[in-house]
Amino acid sequence: MATVTAPSPRPRPRLPRWLRRGAPRWLRRGAPPWLLLAPALATLAILLIVPLGRVLDLSFQDYRLRNLLRGTTNYVGLENYTTILSDGFLWTTVLPNTVGFAAVCVVLTMVVGVAIAVFLNNLATASRFICTTAIMVAWAIPALTGTYVFVWLFDPLNGFVSDLLGMVGILEPGTVNWWNSRLAFYSIATLNVVYHGFPFIAITVLAGLMTVPQELHEAAAMDGANAWQRFWQITVPMLRPILAVCVILSTIWDFKVFTQIYLMPGGDGSNRNMMNLGVWSYTESFGQGNYGMGSAIAVLLTLLLLVVSVIYLRVMMKEDEL
């Protein structure tokens, strides 16, 4: 009778000989994983940490085009931050545009994405494939192209929306300029952002829905739970980690929206009422040549994103502890 030998365990990665000599035990045991991660961490440091550090350094300077050409520095401490935080334009226009717009976009993107994911999950395989392919087209369209499509749709004179409203007698084409109203401007931008953002949420949530055991829904249905109760009591708790990631990613993307705002009429800084933090930072840096002030605005936007993300993560962790 032949004997079956168990496979030998895979050898653990070892440190180089020059590093093993005289190294403490904790270093010998903990260093191999970090050595394997070193190339990826070095790449991240070059692509993310170094530019972020440069922006932070510029935010403490009165750095303009002359400094860039001469290679000189002019540190002014917290003067840029003091100027920004004491400017009423930040509190009355820029911050409400940034936070309010991002909050509405995140909520609508999540609602639309989850609703479409539930719809796709109830389709047959062939129909689901066709619908999934169709909505992925919206995600594949570049933000630049999609923004110009929405600009054409809402053109005051020859846009599709103006012509349609004129045909039904609601308003005459050319009498309303959507781009002069702050509410109308950001409503169109919201439609643009949600249109480009919901496919990612829908596909991600759909992948999670397909892993939820159907036996749980069947047992709940036998106990008398309706579809809405089954969704909130079974589906949502099981998808909470996926939903948390989607909310955080959507928050980061929507807070730093730039292309969809800048390319719309008046969004490039010509109409200051339409500015958000991203456009304000860009116009100060490359429009006015004040790179120090623009960098300080970018740092404030980054800090705002970190605060929102940390608060959301803490809320999610507290809910898990209950």
Side-chain angles (χ1 to χ4, degrees):
M1 183 175 179
T3 59
V4 179
T5 58
S8 58
R10 182 178 297 178
R12 297 181 58 185
R14 302 182 62 186
L15 292 173
R17 180 177 300 177
W18 62 270
L19 192 57
R20 294 200 307 268
R21 295 175 180 173
R25 184 176 180 181
W26 63 268
L27 179 60
R28 295 197 303 268
R29 295 177 62 88
W34 289 104
L35 290 177
L36 295 175
L37 291 173
L41 294 177
T43 303
L44 287 175
I46 295 174
L47 297 179
L48 296 177
I49 298 178
V50 173
L52 184 60
R54 178 57 175 165
V55 171
L56 184 62
D57 180 64
L58 288 177
S59 69
F60 295 110
Q61 303 181 44
D62 182 15
Y63 197 87
R64 300 178 182 271
L65 184 60
R66 62 177 180 272
N67 301 101
L68 179 64
L69 297 176
R70 299 173 182 174
T72 58
T73 58
N74 183 19
Y75 286 93
V76 292
L78 298 176
E79 182 178 327
N80 290 329
Y81 294 98
T82 303
T83 302
I84 295 171
L85 295 176
S86 61
D87 192 347
F89 179 61
L90 170 69
W91 304 104
T92 60
T93 302
V94 176
L95 203 58
N97 287 349
T98 304
V99 177
F101 171 70
V104 173
C105 287
V106 170
V107 172
L108 291 180
T109 303
M110 291 299 301
V111 170
V112 174
V114 172
I116 292 179
V118 173
F119 170 75
L120 293 175
N121 191 48
N122 293 322
L123 294 179
T125 303
S127 301
R128 183 190 303 149
F129 175 78
I130 295 174
C131 293
T132 302
T133 304
I135 67 172
M136 288 303 293
V137 174
W139 197 34
I141 295 177
L144 180 100
T145 305
T147 301
Y148 280 128
V149 170
F150 275 87
V151 170
W152 169 77
L153 287 174
F154 289 92
D155 184 86
L157 294 176
N158 303 314
F160 174 79
V161 175
S162 296
D163 292 341
L164 181 61
L165 295 178
M167 291 174 57
V168 299
I170 296 179
L171 60 85
E172 183 178 351
T175 58
V176 176
N177 188 349
W178 312 99
W179 315 114
N180 286 337
S181 171
R182 187 175 174 186
L183 179 60
F185 181 95
Y186 273 97
S187 297
I188 298 172
T190 300
L191 291 176
N192 189 4
V193 172
V194 172
Y195 172 78
H196 286 91
F198 84 86
F200 173 81
I201 305 299
I203 299 303
T204 304
V205 175
L206 175 62
L209 287 172
M210 297 176 69
T211 64
V212 177
Q214 293 299 319
E215 294 81 3
L216 298 177
H217 288 276
E218 295 173 357
M222 293 179 63
D223 291 337
N226 56 36
W228 188 252
Q229 291 173 332
R230 295 196 300 271
F231 176 77
W232 280 107
Q233 300 299 326
I234 298 175
T235 304
V236 172
M238 297 194 68
L239 294 180
R240 183 168 295 175
I242 296 177
L243 295 176
V245 172
C246 290
V247 169
I248 292 175
L249 291 177
S250 296
T251 301
I252 294 174
W253 293 336
D254 294 343
F255 262 92
K256 64 183 187 66
V257 165
F258 174 79
T259 303
Q260 290 89 335
I261 302 297
Y262 188 81
L263 294 180
M264 291 169 60
D268 57 354
S270 56
N271 189 345
R272 288 175 59 85
N273 289 329
M274 310 306 174
M275 278 189 177
N276 63 359
L277 281 172
V279 175
W280 194 22
S281 174
Y282 180 86
T283 54
E284 285 290 335
S285 298
F286 300 100
Q288 304 296 328
N290 192 350
Y291 301 104
M293 186 70 70
S295 299
I297 298 172
V299 172
L300 290 177
L301 176 58
T302 304
L303 293 177
L304 182 61
L305 282 172
L306 289 176
V307 169
V308 173
S309 300
V310 169
I311 292 175
Y312 182 76
L313 287 175
R314 287 180 61 87
V315 171
M316 292 296 298
M317 293 175 64
K318 288 183 178 179
E319 290 182 357
D320 291 338
E321 293 174 357
L322 296 179

